[in-house]
Structures are given as structure tokens and as C-alpha cells.
């Protein structure tokens, strides 16, 4: 008898070829979400099998082997409608013949549940009895999410829920997601948008060509990415080449000039060529402290400051890119951009 | 313009318009001359009262047969598309459903007449309607299939994922999407019914449809009356076919554009 995990996917294997889409390959995926209410993020480039995994967990895709347990129950052979794993599609999936309210009511038992879900996703009451064709893209997406949540699923599977949405709609959806999380709703979130996944999820898996490249709690993934592919996803602009030798790395900037040295904290690293990675939230602006590694020529270095100060991203603690940063040094507070040697993580090339 | 299909359709349209031009010319010239005189034809354009009544009754009969037959064919075609939606089943079903179109109409008429006799049904409209439904089914099926291919798989899967039963999926996903195909199939089957004389003739008994009456008139002589009736028949066929084809083309085109946009 296996332990009662919120989600336990064991060697989910799917062969996919050109009949099923533009890509060919084999997906081999395992993951465990221990507690109810945890959110799993799945990151990866297009064609890495993210959506196929979600469809398999939902039971819409049935060409797989391996086991899928939701809340301890084996759902591997269960039809999709009985799994209570509701998938939110990338494509529009509202029923045209029904009003917004009827759509939300479709998979739940009472009107109250549907209304509560619509309110949670901030769907204006004036729209409740209108047909979906009268709604904007953002409103439709919120109705789709409300319908999924109203179904009271054991797990909600979100496939690119922010795709094509404006900032205001994203903000409203993130706010609803945070309330869903508080209400102990387990979820899997697939997105190209790293910031959103980092902001919402407790555990993150990085996929590449159907294989798990890394999987770790979000904070560890940010500070200690396991490999270059993961680093490129979580800190795409803050990666520098480094030479690793005797437990020390020399970080090189433009023209192969060494911009600083730092201790190698990653015990799996071997001497040789590597990548030095600093997450955006560890990069600071202003006067550097002693021993800081200073990046002076921002415009010419292979870097872009993604964070500084205490900016907030959708009320979450994640810091985001500063667009107004002046790389020519005219902005007084931005002349020095620096980080501490202890904040640098390194992986082998 | 290099497309041979275009030229073929253009020639067909010109040929089909010939009786209609004759009809128009007759209307403009009152009881005047036919556009082209064919040797051995009668110029007697004055229909007797009995003939007029016969034509009126035939038009009514055609509508009584055509409307329910087209409606039923469209409904059954839609159900077939839904039931045979998986690719392998759709291919097999598509081939089987072509049989009515491939069967010689005379043979089909005789088959239905035998069936009517076995079932001891009176010669009336119901056997004609049944035979027409059978004949129109492939048309309705393929028109529905054309539209059904544009139905996004995610809508279908979404309903299944939310625990919808088969009839709920049909009611809320398939039916709203197929509305246009339903209407187009209805119009096209109606147009087909309007001009189908052979099966109707085999089963008609005392109830002759419009196509049967024209055929009977043509047997005697190619008169102005025949031109007129043929022209009317053609016009009545052309309108639903064009409307049906246009709305279906428009809907599938829009769906493709939406897909490209996505």
C-alpha cells in the first residue's frame, strides 16, 4: 500500500510521434507531491512534453504506461471524467450554447458553488448570464478557471493559464490562484512564463525533450539550479562563464576578463569549465560592500539586472526585471551593480 | 483560372441556366415564343386548368416529401458523424454511407416499392420520404463531416474531463458547433428532393412530386410549359444549394482562420 500522496506519478511513459503532434520522442516522468494544497510547476521549452503529461494525469491522453495516483487512489486506468483531475486547456473550451453561469454550473452540484467560483475569479456579475462569445479573452479564461475550480477537483491542472492575457487579467488570476492555494487546492501549473511558475509553485520540475532535467523545491531551484538548462530557465540573463579550480571559481565577463572570484558551493562540481549563476534577487544596485563582485559595464556585460530593491511581482516576494535601469550610468543609483561571492552558484558546462 | 474544376463548374452552370433563360424569356414575352425552337416541339403554352391543378398539387407534394426527408436526413447524418467520430470508424462509415448514392435510383425505387408492399403500406408520402432519407444520408453525412473536422478536440476532451455524459457532449459541444452544417445539409437535401424523379415515381402512387410531373410532361413534348416548369425547378434548386454551400464554406473558412490565429 503506497503512502497517500496528493499526487504520485510513477514512470509515466508516453511515446509520441508525428501522428500526435509536430514532435517525436519518449516522455518518462515521475513526481510526488506530498501534501494536499501543494503546487507543482513544470517548466521546459516547447515540445518538451509538458502538456502531454498534464493530459495524461487528467486521463484525456491514454497512451501511457506507469501509474498515476491522486490522493492515494490509483487512477491509471480510470476514465477521465471520474478522476476529479480537471484540466484547464490552453485553447478556448467554454460551451457556446450555455451562459457563463451555466458553464460554471456544468460540473458542480449547486448554484452557490458556481457563484462562489465565479466571484473568486472576479467574473463580473453582469456577465453571468451572457453567452461566452460576448466575453473578452481574459474574461473567458477566468470563467474557464472558475468552472474548473467549481468542479471541486482533487487536483487542478493548469496548461498555460496566462497565455495571451493582459496584465490586469493576469493579476486577477494570480490573486485567485493564491486564494485557491490557501483553500488547500492542489495544482500542477505548466507555463512558459518562469516568473509565474516561480511565484506560485512549491516544487518545480524542469523538462527537456520529455525527460526530467531537474526537480526541487522552488527556493532551491532559484539559488542552486542543478544544471545549465535549469539555470538558463530561472536566471537566463545572469550567467557568466567560470573557471573552477581548487574549490574556487573565477568568473569571467566580457573580453575574458576576470570580474571576481567566489567559493564553489556546489559539491558536485568538478574542476574545469563551468557557469556561474546568480539569481536576480541576489543582484543589488548602489554602493558595493567590501568583497562584492561588481559589474560595471552593464551594457556590455552579458547581464541584465532582473531585480533590485523590494519590487513585488503580483504580491508575491519574487523580484522582477527593472525596465527603467539606465545602462549608460546616467542614473545615479544604478552605476554599481553587484553581488556577494557567497550568492554565486556554479554548475559544470 | 487555371483550375479545370472552375471551368467545369462554369460550363455546368451555363447548361443549367438554359431552361431558366427560356423560362425568363417566356415570362417577359408573355405567352410568346420559346427561346430556341426544337423540331417537333409543341408551341402550345397554354396549360389547361387540370394541368395547372396537377402542377400545384405536385409542388405541394414535393414540399411535403422534401422538408421532412431533408430534416430527417440531416438529423441522422449528424448522429452518424457523432457516432462514427473516431478516424477508423469515420473512414469505414463514410464508405458504407456512399452505397445509397452508388445504387441505381431505379433499383432503389423498386427495392423500396417491394418493401412498401411487404409492409402493406399504402402508396403515399411516407415510403417516398423514407426512400429519400436513405438517398440523402450520404450528402448530409459528408456535409456534417466537413464541419465536424473543425471542432476542436480540446472542447470535446474538456467536456469528458468535466465528467459530461455522451448526450451532454452531443447537446453542449457537438450540436452548437454543427448548427450551420445542419441547416446547410437540410437545404441541400431539400434541393435534391425537389429534383429527384425516379424513386418518387416508383413509389408515388397517386401522389406525384414536382419532378415526377415534369418528367411526365417531358415525355409528351418539349413545350414552353416544360421549359417554364424546368426553369422554376432549377431556380428553386439553385437557391438552397447556393445558400447552403455559402454558409458552410463561410463557417469552415472562419474556423480555419481562427486556428491559424491560434
Amino acid at each position: 500500500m503506497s503512502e497517500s500522496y496528493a499526487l504520485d506519478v510513477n514512470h509515466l511513459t508516453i511515446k509520441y510521434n508525428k501522428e500526435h503532434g509536430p514532435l517525436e520522442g519518449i516522455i518518462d516522468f515521475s513526481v510526488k507531491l506530498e501534501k494536499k494544497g501543494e503546487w507543482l510547476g513544470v517548466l521546459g521549452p516547447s515540445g518538451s512534453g509538458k502538456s502531454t503529461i498534464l493530459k495524461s494525469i487528467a486521463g484525456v491522453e491514454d497512451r501511457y504506461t506507469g501509474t498515476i495516483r491522486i490522493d492515494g487512489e490509483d487512477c491509471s486506468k480510470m476514465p477521465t471524467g471520474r478522476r476529479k483531475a480537471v484540466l484547464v486547456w490552453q485553447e478556448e473550451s467554454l460551451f457556446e450554447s450555455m451562459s457563463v453561469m451555466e458553464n460554471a454550473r456544468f460540473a458542480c452540484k449547486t448554484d452557490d458553488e458556481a457563484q462562489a467560483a465565479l466571484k473568486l475569479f472576479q467574473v463580473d456579475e453582469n456577465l453571468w448570464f451572457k453567452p461566452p462569445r460576448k466575453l473578452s479573452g481574459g474574461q473567458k479564461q477566468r470563467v474557464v478557471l472558475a468552472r474548473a475550480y467549481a468542479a471541486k477537483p482533487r487536483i487542478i491542472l493548469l496548461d498555460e493559464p496566462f497565455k495571451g492575457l493582459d496584465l490586469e487579467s493576469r493579476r486577477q488570476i494570480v490573486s485567485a490562484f493564491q486564494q485557491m492555494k490557501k483553500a488547500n487546492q492542489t495544482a500542477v501549473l505548466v507555463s512558459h512564463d518562469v516568473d509565474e511558475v516561480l511565484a506560485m509553485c512549491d516544487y518545480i520540475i524542469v523538462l527537456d525533450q520529455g525527460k526530467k532535467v531537474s526537480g526541487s523545491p522552488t527556493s532551491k531551484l532559484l539559488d542552486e539550479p542543478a544544471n545549465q538548462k535549469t539555470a538558463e530557465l530561472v536566471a537566463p540573463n545572469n550567467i557568466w562563464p567560470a573557471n573552477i579550480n581548487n574549490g574556487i571559481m573565477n568568473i569571467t565577463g566580457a573580453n575574458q576578463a576576470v570580474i571576481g572570484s567566489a567559493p564553489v558551493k556546489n559539491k558536485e562540481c568538478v574542476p574545469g569549465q563551468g557557469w556561474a549563476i546568480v539569481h536576480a534577487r541576489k543582484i543589488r544596485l548602489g554602493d558595493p560592500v567590501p568583497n562584492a563582485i561588481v559589474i560595471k559595464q552593464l551594457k556590455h556585460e552579458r547581464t541584465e539586472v532582473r531585480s533590485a530593491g523590494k519590487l513585488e511581482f503580483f504580491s508575491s516576494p519574487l523580484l522582477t526585471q527593472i525596465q527603467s535601469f539606465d545602462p549608460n550610468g546616467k542614473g545615479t543609483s544604478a552605476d554599481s551593480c553587484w553581488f556577494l561571492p557567497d550568492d554565486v552558484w556554479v554548475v559544470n558546462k | 483560372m487555371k483550375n479545370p474544376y472552375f471551368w467545369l463548374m462554369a460550363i455546368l452552370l451555363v447548361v443549367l441556366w438554359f431552361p431558366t433563360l427560356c423560362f425568363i424569356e417566356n415570362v417577359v414575352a408573355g405567352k410568346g415564343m420559346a427561346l430556341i425552337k426544337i423540331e417537333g416541339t409543341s408551341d402550345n403554352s397554354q396549360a389547361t386548368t387540370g394541368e395547372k391543378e396537377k402542377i400545384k398539387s405536385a409542388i405541394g407534394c414535393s414540399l411535403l416529401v422534401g422538408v421532412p426527408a431533408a430534416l430527417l436526413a440531416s438529423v441522422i447524418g449528424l448522429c452518424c458523424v457523432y457516432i462514427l467520430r473516431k478516424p477508423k470508424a469515420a473512414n469505414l462509415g463514410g464508405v458504407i454511407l456512399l452505397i445509397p448514392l452508388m445504387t441505381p435510383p431505379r433499383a432503389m425505387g423498386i427495392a423500396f416499392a417491394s418493401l412498401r408492399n411487404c409492409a402493406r403500406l399504402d402508396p403515399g408520402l411516407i415510403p417516398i420520404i423514407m426512400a429519400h432519407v436513405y438517398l440523402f444520408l450520404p450528402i448530409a453525412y459528408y456535409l456534417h463531416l466537413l464541419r465536424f473536422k473543425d471542432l476542436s478536440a480540446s472542447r470535446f476532451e474538456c467536456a469528458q474531463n468535466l465528467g459530461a455524459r455522451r448526450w451532454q457532449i452531443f447537446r453542449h459541444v457537438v450540436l452548437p458547433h454543427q448548427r450551420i452544417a445542419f441547416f446547410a445539409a437540410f437545404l441541400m437535401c431539400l434541393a435534391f428532393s425537389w429534383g429527384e424523379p425516379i424513386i418518387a415515381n416508383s413509389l408515388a402512387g397517386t401522389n406525384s412530386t414536382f419532378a415526377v410531373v415534369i418528367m411526365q410532361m417531358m415525355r409528351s413534348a418539349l413545350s414552353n410549359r416544360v421549359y417554364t416548369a424546368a426553369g422554376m425547378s432549377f431556380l428553386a434548386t439553385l437557391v438552397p444549394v447556393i445558400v447552403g454551400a455559402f454558409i458552410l464554406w463561410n463557417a469552415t473558412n472562419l474556423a480555419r482562420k481562427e486556428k491559424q490565429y491560434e
Side-chain angles (χ1 to χ4, degrees), chain A residues 55 58-60 80-82 85-89 91-98 106-107 147-148 151 163, chain B residues 147 151-165 168-169 171-173 175-177 179 262:
Chain A
K55 283 186 175 183
V60 172
T80 177
R82 285 180 50 209
V86 175
L87 178 56
V88 174
W89 264 258
E91 300 91 10
E92 202 179 288
S93 58
L94 288 173
F95 304 130
E96 292 166 26
S97 60
M98 295 176 164
F106 187 76
R147 183 179 64 184
K163 192 180 170 188
Chain B
R147 177 83 177 129
L151 179 59
S152 154
S154 64
R155 276 178 205 262
F156 224 88
E157 290 167 346
C158 174
Q160 286 179 323
N161 181 237
L162 288 166
R165 294 188 186 94
Q168 283 179 306
I169 296 174
R171 164 73 186 82
H172 298 299
V173 180
L175 209 53
H177 182 79
R179 263 184 312 214
E262 277 172 14

Side-chain angles (χ1 to χ4, degrees), chain B residues 53-256:
Chain B
E53 285 305 315
K54 199 177 172 186
I55 289 173
K56 270 187 195 171
S57 141
I59 290 172
C61 184
S62 274
L63 288 173
L64 278 176
V65 168
V67 172
L71 207 60
L72 273 172
S74 195
V75 170
I76 298 171
L78 173 59
C79 294
C80 288
V81 164
Y82 180 57
I83 293 163
L84 303 172
R85 64 186 177 277
K86 292 194 173 159
K88 278 182 188 168
N91 291 343
L92 184 67
V95 172
I96 291 170
L97 283 171
L98 276 176
I99 292 170
L101 277 187
M102 292 171 180
T103 316
R106 179 64 71 189
M108 214 192 302
I110 292 166
F112 270 91
S114 315
L115 187 72
R116 183 195 64 194
N117 290 341
C118 286
R120 294 183 183 177
L121 286 172
D122 291 330
L125 298 182
I126 291 174
I128 311 178
I129 292 171
M130 281 164 57
H132 276 190
V133 169
Y134 179 71
L135 182 64
F136 302 158
L137 198 53
I139 301 168
Y141 174 76
Y142 280 102
L143 289 173
H144 276 295
L145 194 63
L146 194 69
R147 177 83 177 129
F148 192 74
K149 282 180 178 169
D150 291 328
L151 179 59
S152 154
S154 64
R155 276 178 205 262
F156 224 88
E157 290 167 346
C158 174
Q160 286 179 323
N161 181 237
L162 288 166
R165 294 188 186 94
R166 278 187 174 194
W167 72 265
Q168 283 179 306
I169 296 174
F170 182 76
R171 164 73 186 82
H172 298 299
V173 180
V174 178
L175 209 53
H177 182 79
Q178 294 293 115
R179 263 184 312 214
I180 284 169
F182 188 88
F183 188 54
F186 169 75
L187 285 177
M188 297 227 184
C189 292
L190 187 65
F192 195 174
S193 162
W194 186 254
E196 197 294 310
I198 300 169
I199 296 174
N201 191 39
S202 309
L203 298 166
T206 52
N207 301 297
S208 293
T209 60
F210 187 58
V212 174
V213 169
I214 291 181
M215 204 171 67
Q216 285 167 355
M217 287 163 81
M218 276 179 75
R219 271 188 198 140
S220 52
L222 272 172
S223 64
N224 285 340
R225 285 203 307 282
V226 175
Y227 286 144
T228 309
M232 276 172 62
S233 172
F234 173 61
L235 279 179
T237 308
L238 201 65
V239 173
V241 168
I242 288 176
V243 172
F246 176 74
I247 57 168
L248 198 59
W249 171 81
N250 198 33
T252 47
N253 226 18
L254 274 176
R256 266 177 217 131

